[in-house]
Amino acid sequence: MGRVIDVRCPRCGKPAPPDGMGSCTDCAVVFDVQVDLTAVPPPAEIRRRPETTIWRWRELLPIQDPAAIVSLGEGGTPLVEARRLGGLIGIPRLLVKNDALLPTGSLKDRVASAGVSRAREIKAKTVATPSTGNAAASLAAYAAAAGLDCVVFVPEGTSPAKITQARMCGATVIAVRGPFENAGRLAREAIGSFGWYSTLSDNPYRNDGMKSYAYEIWEQLGEVPDWEIHPEASGGAVAGAWKAFGEMQTLGWVTRRPRMVAVQAEAAAALVRAWEKGLDDVEPLAPGPTVAESIRVGRPRLGWQALRALRESKGAAVGVTDEEILEAQHLLATREGIFAEPSAAASVAAARRLRQMGTIAEGDLVVAVVTGHGLKQPDTSANPPLPLIEPTLAALERALKEA
């Protein structure tokens, strides 16, 4: 298991409090946990392991008690060669990391597994988080598997499919008027008042679950991609993958890291605005309406870490329109058979935009991460009403012509 050797602010170096949770009181950056890399076995030994979950990389994840691990089979998602889609958008070497196939249908299973395992390790009784929907569904499932109580806070208008997932797994779901920030503020107050275990993005143990992206992509490819593109709300996926590639460099497994891309909806693009202004950290904003509800967040809690990853990797932050997102969703489904929720398809929209700009070259090896299944938010799909016909060939022929 991963032996934790340090938890401190990655910006100023201030040590974290004993529980390792929260943000630095000096610079407001979320604490970072470090594991003992000298205890990590060589890749050949890891490759012989039969499991395909994120715990295949257990020495690199900050859970020290193997009995505490809560797993539903998260990780090991396919890395699909998107030849038809890549050819269409001018990126012949486009690959799609399909996290729509995780147990609850979204990337949040990676952090829920790590976060709930930590909760179990410290004997917590109740876990809680605010969520735009996917984290609520995921935390509820992992809490159910762990035998823990679960309370999740969602903004009004959250997809009913995601709420149904969370409630079916036994979570108490609290819908809060207004944007995600209102749900987040109430969740933090409740966690502090009632002593619940937080799986917010200011939990560094939970955040390290995102590192699993880098390990899996590197093992599946056999090399480091030129670009890795993530839809972003908190900034945690870009920051986590970048951190993991850095660990692999330290271990001597790789000699370079990919250029990282954070993509957001233009209506909720705090990271993108900070990147364009050359800021070290994000400035919170009020998000506007967007079809990409899973990444509709005005204050990315891991913004400093994400911006650092973008700078150090010579990467990019891209804002895409709802029109671009829905077109990417359509192309991903009709060209590759992958039905993604709108937020998840934003990575493909960004790849297309960056290729058109000339930022991504034609021969570059590009991994676009699809972070959630289309069934999470099915009401956004642009399909016309389904025709109902009489059971005759003549009626069928008319319907086929109209289709």
Side-chain angles (χ1 to χ4, degrees):
M1 302 305 297
R3 188 172 76 85
V4 175
I5 57 174
D6 198 17
V7 188
R8 64 179 58 245
C9 175
R11 186 173 190 176
C12 72
K14 182 176 181 176
D19 65 3
M21 302 282 282
S23 303
C24 177
T25 55
D26 291 344
C27 57
V29 170
V30 174
F31 292 116
D32 186 48
V33 60
Q34 298 292 328
V35 297
D36 182 7
L37 296 182
T38 66
V40 178
E45 180 177 330
I46 294 173
R47 290 191 183 104
R48 287 195 293 270
R49 292 174 176 171
E51 65 264 46
T52 59
T53 71
I54 66 172
W55 301 103
R56 178 180 179 84
W57 313 92
R58 50 188 173 267
E59 291 85 1
L60 289 154
L61 298 173
I63 304 301
Q64 300 176 88
D65 178 6
I69 290 177
V70 183
S71 176
L72 295 176
E74 63 293 322
T77 52
L79 189 62
V80 179
E81 291 186 40
R83 294 188 182 92
R84 295 188 68 215
L85 177 58
L88 180 68
I89 66 175
I91 308 175
R93 302 177 74 203
L94 175 68
L95 298 107
V96 173
K97 179 67 168 165
N98 188 8
D99 264 15
L101 299 181
L102 285 173
T104 75
S106 90
L107 82 162
K108 294 299 184 180
D109 292 348
R110 296 179 182 274
V111 292
S113 181
V116 173
S117 295
R118 176 60 178 169
R120 200 175 184 188
E121 187 172 52
I122 65 169
K123 313 301 182 187
K125 303 299 182 184
T126 301
V127 292
T129 193
S131 170
T132 55
N134 281 333
S138 186
L139 183 62
Y142 282 82
L148 303 179
D149 292 331
C150 178
V151 184
V152 295
F153 299 78
V154 299
E156 61 179 323
T158 298
S159 170
K162 298 172 185 177
I163 291 174
T164 296
Q165 277 189 288
R167 297 181 77 180
M168 283 297 296
C169 290
T172 299
V173 180
I174 307 297
V176 182
R177 294 192 186 279
F180 171 77
E181 282 64 35
N182 288 3
R185 184 167 54 251
L186 179 59
R188 287 189 291 274
E189 291 173 2
I191 287 166
S193 296
F194 304 135
W196 298 334
Y197 186 77
S198 169
T199 58
L200 281 148
S201 52
D202 60 359
N203 178 337
Y205 295 86
R206 168 255 195 216
N207 294 341
D208 256 26
M210 286 298 188
K211 296 195 304 182
S212 55
Y213 272 126
Y215 310 138
E216 288 181 22
I217 289 170
W218 169 71
E219 184 179 38
Q220 288 169 321
L221 270 180
E223 60 179 311
V224 176
D226 297 308
W227 297 88
E228 189 168 322
I229 307 175
H230 287 270
E232 275 296 3
S234 72
V238 162
W242 182 247
K243 177 182 176 182
F245 277 112
E247 290 174 339
M248 288 191 283
Q249 269 189 315
T250 299
L251 289 164
W253 296 359
V254 302
T255 58
R256 66 179 183 90
R257 293 192 262 181
R259 299 175 73 176
M260 306 299 298
V261 178
V263 54
Q264 298 186 293
E266 282 192 350
L271 268 173
V272 177
R273 302 293 170 257
W275 172 256
E276 292 171 345
K277 293 179 180 178
L279 303 179
D280 286 340
D281 207 344
V282 296
E283 297 173 331
L285 54 75
T290 175
V291 71
E293 70 168 25
S294 295
I295 53 175
R296 187 177 179 265
V297 170
R299 185 193 174 196
R301 296 300 300 274
L302 293 159
W304 183 86
Q305 290 93 326
L307 289 166
R308 179 182 63 174
L310 299 181
R311 285 194 305 271
E312 291 180 353
S313 72
K314 297 181 172 58
V318 182
V320 290
T321 66
D322 278 8
E323 291 74 20
E324 288 176 297
I325 289 170
L326 291 173
E327 176 68 8
Q329 181 191 37
H330 173 74
L331 292 175
L332 190 57
T334 57
R335 298 303 191 277
E336 300 299 338
I338 296 172
F339 182 26
E341 68 171 316
S343 300
S347 58
V348 172
R352 190 180 195 185
R353 170 86 73 84
L354 290 170
R355 179 68 189 102
Q356 291 168 345
M357 294 166 56
T359 305
I360 290 177
E362 183 179 7
D364 286 349
L365 182 59
V366 179
V367 173
V369 179
V370 168
T371 51
H373 203 288
L375 292 176
K376 291 280 195 168
Q377 198 180 340
D379 55 323
T380 59
S381 55
N383 288 319
L386 188 67
L388 182 64
I389 68 168
E390 295 298 324
T392 66
L393 282 176
L396 173 60
E397 288 175 350
R398 286 194 300 270
L400 292 174
K401 288 178 181 177
E402 291 172 2

